[in-house]
Amino acid sequence: MASVFETVPGAPEDIIFALTAAYKADTDPKKVNLGVGAYRTEEGKPWVLPVVHKADHIMVDDENLDHEYLPILGLPDFRKASVKLILGANSKAIAEGRAGSAQCISGTGAVFTGAQFLSRHYPFKGAACYISKPTWANHRAIFEGVGIPVLEYPYWDPETKGLDLKGMLACMESAPSGSIFLLHPCAHNPTGVDPTPDQWKQIADVMEAKGHFTFFDTAYQGFASGSLDKDAYSVRYFVERGFEMFIAQSFSKNFGLYSERAGNLTIVARTPEIKNTIESQIAKAQRAVISNPPAYGSRVVSLVLNDDKLYGEWEENLSTMANRIISMRQALFEELTKLGTPGTWNHIVDQIGMFSFTGLKTPQVKVLKEKYHVYLTDNGRISMAGLNTKNVEYFARAVDDVVRNH
């Protein structure tokens, strides 16, 4: 008997996971993995943050913890602390009772939860979501998956290897009023290029004039600059300007809780009543998809965020990660400069966060993989966390070769 699924086409492999699999299968001792978006130590190993280790032990010894279901919208202390972390303790949105939240399945789940709500309740029917060109691949998949059309706004300028602010603002001005714009508050993925405070003001001016809806996706608060407050600047500025918005938060990177899927969707509404209405609709939708979120990761985050001593230790851990990545940017820049590699490479140190958009072309990336066993995405994005003092010179020489000869 033929299967009822006989005609279903196979889906392509996920690019990042396929890249990781190819790296693991490679037996060359010099191989380098610059594809995965996860922190690595100087030894190239995953790092369990010391403060997370400490939180683990506290939780294990807590006889009052159980494995009962969380509420549909998640762990209350986690949600409250997450909102405070991104908006700031003195946020007027919190003080006025119009900041809400929903615990989600990491940042991916938070983007999905917000997108699903907008697909059902956003009053501008048919409004498109504009994503940066380029952006994290899942952004398009998530919004298209809930039926929201996806368009792109200019972001990366290949000539300057920086922000195309003029193109970005022009797109915002020409987009139909009430469009949705997905913005990266810090450590833009994949370019590592962030607007300056003055540029954020210009972006906010156009967003306000056009009545666009702001959807921030923040996966790197504290991980980019090492400062939680500095990395939240754009979000807090938009709140001060009076915008309604969604903010997807992930704790995968800044807590190293990649597999625990701890995330939050922060909601800033016009009034407390509207905030309550949004939360009620998200709860209804979440009940039908995951019923309620998992407890472990949110308990770790909540424990740290709500304890002054642990919070201070977490800030130290964040500085360790951020500073190592910054030092690898400087080391790569110095190696390329020393080699006299053609082109300008200052963008390596000007960019911020886990990723750098090198400007390498797809054919050059192919040579890096096949000749040098260096794994990175075809668009030339590298994870700076994959570099260390033992492989940065090797990688620089490989780049120098493909730039000169390919």
Side-chain angles (χ1 to χ4, degrees):
M1 184 183 294
S3 170
V4 294
F5 304 113
E6 203 79 46
T7 60
V8 176
E13 279 189 297
D14 180 87
I15 294 170
I16 299 300
F17 283 88
L19 195 67
T20 301
Y23 166 79
K24 287 180 177 178
D26 192 330
T27 57
D28 191 282
K30 290 185 177 180
K31 66 181 181 179
V32 181
N33 186 6
L34 303 181
V36 66
Y39 181 77
R40 294 292 180 262
T41 64
E42 166 64 19
E43 293 70 39
K45 304 293 185 183
W47 192 45
V48 178
L49 274 60
V51 75
V52 170
H53 259 311
K54 191 169 289 188
D56 283 338
H57 288 294
I58 292 171
M59 287 165 55
V60 167
D61 294 335
D62 186 350
E63 295 182 358
N64 294 316
L65 278 187
D66 54 43
H67 297 285
E68 294 295 297
Y69 293 121
L70 293 186
I72 296 172
L73 288 178
L75 189 68
D77 288 347
F78 166 81
R79 293 169 55 208
K80 185 177 179 181
S82 297
V83 172
K84 179 181 173 183
L85 180 71
I86 190 63
L87 299 187
N90 300 318
S91 171
K92 64 180 182 180
I94 296 176
E96 293 166 2
R98 52 189 184 83
S101 65
Q103 182 184 334
C104 301
I105 308 297
S106 200
T108 305
V111 174
F112 169 80
T113 299
Q116 183 186 59
F117 174 87
L118 292 173
S119 74
R120 295 174 177 177
H121 304 289
Y122 194 53
F124 293 88
K125 297 303 178 186
C129 176
Y130 286 76
I131 59 176
S132 63
K133 184 180 181 182
T135 191
W136 180 50
N138 247 0
H139 283 151
R140 177 179 290 278
I142 290 169
F143 278 89
E144 288 183 342
V146 299
I148 295 178
V150 174
L151 299 172
E152 294 178 320
Y153 59 86
Y155 194 86
W156 168 258
D157 185 336
E159 296 302 317
T160 65
K161 297 183 175 63
L163 178 65
D164 181 5
L165 182 66
K166 184 178 178 181
M168 182 180 182
L169 295 177
C171 180
M172 288 179 165
E173 288 171 346
S174 64
S177 295
S179 295
I180 302 161
F181 275 81
L182 194 143
L183 305 170
H184 303 227
C186 66
H188 182 273
N189 179 6
T191 68
V193 173
D194 289 346
T196 64
D198 179 67
Q199 289 171 334
W200 276 119
K201 179 182 182 301
Q202 295 177 61
I203 292 166
D205 287 343
V206 179
M207 291 284 288
E208 185 177 59
K210 293 289 295 188
H212 295 323
F213 184 76
T214 304
F215 197 136
F216 280 113
D217 182 12
T218 175
Y220 301 95
Q221 186 183 355
F223 195 99
S225 67
S227 166
L228 291 158
D229 292 328
K230 184 176 180 181
D231 290 350
Y233 168 81
S234 56
V235 173
R236 295 175 187 179
Y237 176 71
F238 271 60
V239 173
E240 286 297 315
R241 289 279 296 258
F243 285 87
E244 288 189 295
M245 68 185 76
F246 286 168
I247 308 138
Q249 296 168 266
S250 169
F251 294 99
S252 293
K253 308 296 194 300
N254 54 14
F255 268 85
L257 292 172
Y258 302 99
S259 66
E260 306 307 336
R261 316 312 291 146
N264 187 67
L265 179 69
T266 288
I267 302 151
V268 178
R270 191 74 64 218
T271 67
E273 293 74 22
I274 293 172
K275 179 264 292 183
N276 291 339
T277 297
I278 295 171
E279 284 186 339
S280 73
Q281 289 291 349
I282 287 176
K284 179 184 176 184
Q286 184 136 296
R287 174 70 168 136
V289 178
I290 63 168
S291 196
N292 42 43
Y296 174 72
S298 62
R299 282 174 172 165
V300 170
V301 174
S302 180
L303 189 60
V304 173
L305 295 186
N306 288 298
D307 182 289
D308 289 343
K309 185 179 180 185
L310 293 177
Y311 189 95
E313 290 183 34
W314 178 49
E315 289 184 302
E316 292 175 7
N317 295 169
L318 283 170
S319 293
T320 296
M321 293 189 288
N323 289 338
R324 199 188 84 75
I325 287 175
I326 290 168
S327 71
M328 284 301 101
R329 288 186 179 279
Q330 186 63 38
L332 178 57
F333 172 73
E334 289 175 359
E335 289 291 344
L336 292 170
T337 302
K338 186 166 65 177
L339 291 166
T341 306
T344 58
W345 298 96
N346 57 293
H347 59 283
I348 298 292
V349 287
D350 291 342
Q351 293 166 5
I352 192 169
M354 182 173 285
F355 300 112
S356 178
F357 222 47
T358 59
L360 294 170
K361 303 293 188 291
T362 301
Q364 295 170 325
V365 171
K366 187 172 186 288
V367 176
L368 286 174
K369 290 178 189 173
E370 295 177 356
K371 181 178 179 179
Y372 291 99
H373 306 270
V374 175
Y375 292 84
L376 62 155
T377 54
D378 288 345
N379 60 9
R381 186 201 80 169
I382 62 171
S383 172
M384 298 303 302
L387 292 176
N388 54 58
T389 56
K390 301 178 186 69
N391 65 21
V392 66
E393 181 181 354
Y394 174 75
F395 175 63
R397 290 187 178 280
V399 170
D400 183 72
D401 174 43
V402 299
V403 169
R404 290 181 190 276
N405 303 311
H406 302 278

